[in-house]
Amino acid sequence: MSEILVDLSSDTVTQPSLGMRQAIASAVVGDEQRHLDPTVSELERRGAAAVGQNEAIFLPSATMANHIALKLLGRPGDEVIAEENSHLLIAESGGPAVHAGLITRGLPGRAGQFTPQQVRAAVHSGSSVHRPVTRIVAVENTHNSAGGRIWQLDDIAAVAQTARELGLSLHLDGSRLFNAAVATGLLAADFGRYFDTVTLCLSKGLGCPLGALLACSAELAPRARRLKHLFGGAMRQAGIVAAAGIYAFDHNISRLADDHTRARRLAQGLDSAGFPVDLPGVETNFVQLDVGVLGLTSHEALARLESKGIGLSATVHPNVLRAVTHLDVTDDNIELAIELIPSALRRRAPSLR
Ligand SMILES: *Cc1c(COP(=O)(O)O)cnc(C)c1O
């Protein structure tokens, strides 16, 4: 295997920076199960305020945050509506069914979004004894499998209004909510306040080694903390990790704009080289590349890229790869990728010429 020079496979590949490691090393810690870890408590306060909720609960992963949220908002046999390629439905091992006993209903999306009309048409109200009762609408912002696409605030407001009219609860998988906030110039709280529960992931663009927050109202928080225990997510001197989160809140949010600039630069560079990138679709830190147009499968393209030292990854869409920028990617890395990606993929099979 050749050495990877530029790893654009995911924004989860970041190494904790020196500053973050120093924050970890000097963290004041205690037993968080007994609410005695001041660093965890501080991160929870910061997280709740950032997304416009009363409380936040520190968790090992965003996956766990999503499932605690669904269990808070629904009962077994209830239905959750989400975009059909949302992380919740395609990348969490059937968790909604396993942990909360929910039926999942995937709505076809455009750029990861669905409309109030789609919600209205999909909802089962409970008037028929045959139907599962729809309880939850889940939104993902930014939307991972759509290519880091942003749900604009107006669209969220419209879906939220319809959901409330229909008596539904609202969950936001905001694993990359700060990307949406930075790209739109809004606050994460502007988005977060529409929802009952909000997941934030610390190990994506924020650059922490692990961790997530689930934010919610003061009414929901005690049950959420109980579920944290039930899921095995209650920890001990977790301030060691939470310190990385506080460091990220202080240093790694506004700089997400650099990741977005670099993704755009990469997309423009590849586009100029005649490569099939979805240029208008580059709204945050993802670039989608359709290698099918080049006569390649994802598998073939990834192998060729890897041999040149470039790490990309496959998506749910056949023959569409993604390049994801993050805080360990420099401007020079992007220029190198613009040079190496075309040279890796240009050689087509003779029969395709
Ligand atoms: C990565 C991701 C998650 C899960 O995050 P983990 O912390 O790895 O469990 C959930 N939702 C979305 C949209 C994600 O991108």
Side-chain angles (χ1 to χ4, degrees):
M1 229 169 78
S2 53
E3 191 199 350
I4 292 296
L5 305 171
V6 186
D7 192 351
L8 300 166
S9 59
S10 175
D11 47 9
T12 57
V13 301
T14 53
Q15 295 284 319
S17 63
L18 182 60
M20 183 174 279
R21 286 171 191 267
Q22 283 166 345
I24 290 169
S26 60
V28 178
V29 300
D31 188 340
E32 70 132 58
Q33 287 194 17
R34 295 159 61 203
H35 301 286
L36 294 176
D37 190 308
T39 307
V40 169
S41 301
E42 169 68 8
L43 176 63
E44 291 183 339
R45 273 193 298 276
R46 297 282 297 270
V51 299
Q53 297 280 339
N54 299 128
E55 291 204 31
I57 291 109
F58 182 50
L59 296 166
S61 73
T63 300
M64 190 185 286
N66 280 341
H67 294 293
I68 289 176
L70 295 186
K71 211 168 158 59
L72 275 175
L73 302 177
R75 285 175 305 192
D78 288 346
E79 189 174 64
V80 53
I81 291 178
E83 196 275 338
E84 64 185 357
N85 286 318
S86 60
H87 198 278
L88 207 53
L89 300 197
I90 66 166
E92 298 183 8
S93 312
V98 175
H99 298 304
L102 297 175
I103 291 270
T104 56
R105 188 99 172 272
L107 301 181
R110 286 184 59 168
Q113 297 183 37
F114 47 83
T115 63
Q117 292 73 26
Q118 279 177 289
V119 172
R120 206 176 282 284
V123 161
H124 302 134
S125 65
S127 56
S128 159
V129 293
H130 298 275
R131 300 287 201 180
V133 179
T134 311
R135 297 270 185 214
I136 309 165
V137 174
V139 164
E140 185 175 312
N141 199 18
T142 64
H143 194 286
N144 183 339
S145 72
R149 299 297 292 269
I150 299 169
W151 273 79
Q152 297 294 337
L153 198 58
D154 287 352
D155 297 322
I156 284 185
V159 160
Q161 190 187 336
T162 298
R164 296 305 184 197
E165 255 174 55
L166 297 167
L168 306 175
S169 293
L170 281 157
H171 172 63
L172 175 59
D173 180 350
S175 286
R176 293 187 181 79
L177 183 61
F178 287 119
N179 292 90
V182 167
T184 55
L186 296 168
L187 296 173
D190 295 331
F191 297 92
R193 67 189 174 87
Y194 286 97
F195 295 87
D196 297 295
T197 48
V198 180
T199 293
L200 283 178
C201 186
L202 300 171
S203 65
K204 303 281 167 70
L206 294 190
C208 298
L210 69 143
L213 290 159
L214 177 65
C216 61
S217 65
E219 294 74 53
L220 286 176
R223 265 189 72 219
R225 290 192 189 280
R226 194 176 173 81
L227 288 168
K228 168 174 165 155
H229 266 268
L230 179 64
F231 276 68
M235 297 169 278
R236 299 296 182 183
Q237 284 72 31
I240 284 289
V241 185
I246 294 171
Y247 181 88
F249 269 77
D250 286 336
H251 298 93
N252 292 349
I253 294 178
S254 59
R255 66 148 307 283
L256 290 169
D258 299 341
D259 295 345
H260 302 167
T261 303
R262 291 186 180 117
R264 241 180 343 265
R265 167 69 193 133
L266 176 63
Q268 279 158 354
L270 295 175
D271 184 62
S272 304
F275 271 72
V277 293
D278 176 13
L279 201 51
V282 180
E283 294 180 334
T284 58
N285 62 325
F286 286 51
V287 177
Q288 306 257 55
L289 187 64
D290 185 350
V291 296
V293 175
L294 304 171
L296 296 169
T297 64
S298 291
H299 189 74
E300 288 164 343
L302 286 173
R304 285 189 185 196
L305 289 162
E306 198 184 305
S307 74
K308 294 273 187 183
I310 302 288
L312 262 59
S313 56
T315 67
V316 290
H317 314 289
N319 306 329
V320 176
L321 302 184
R322 64 173 202 184
V324 185
T325 56
H326 51 77
L327 57 64
D328 290 352
V329 174
T330 63
D331 289 334
D332 286 348
N333 289 158
I334 294 297
E335 297 312 315
L336 189 60
I338 290 171
E339 193 184 310
L340 293 180
I341 291 173
S343 79
L345 301 182
R346 193 166 277 134
R347 253 179 330 112
R348 299 181 213 181
S351 62
L352 294 168
R353 284 199 171 269

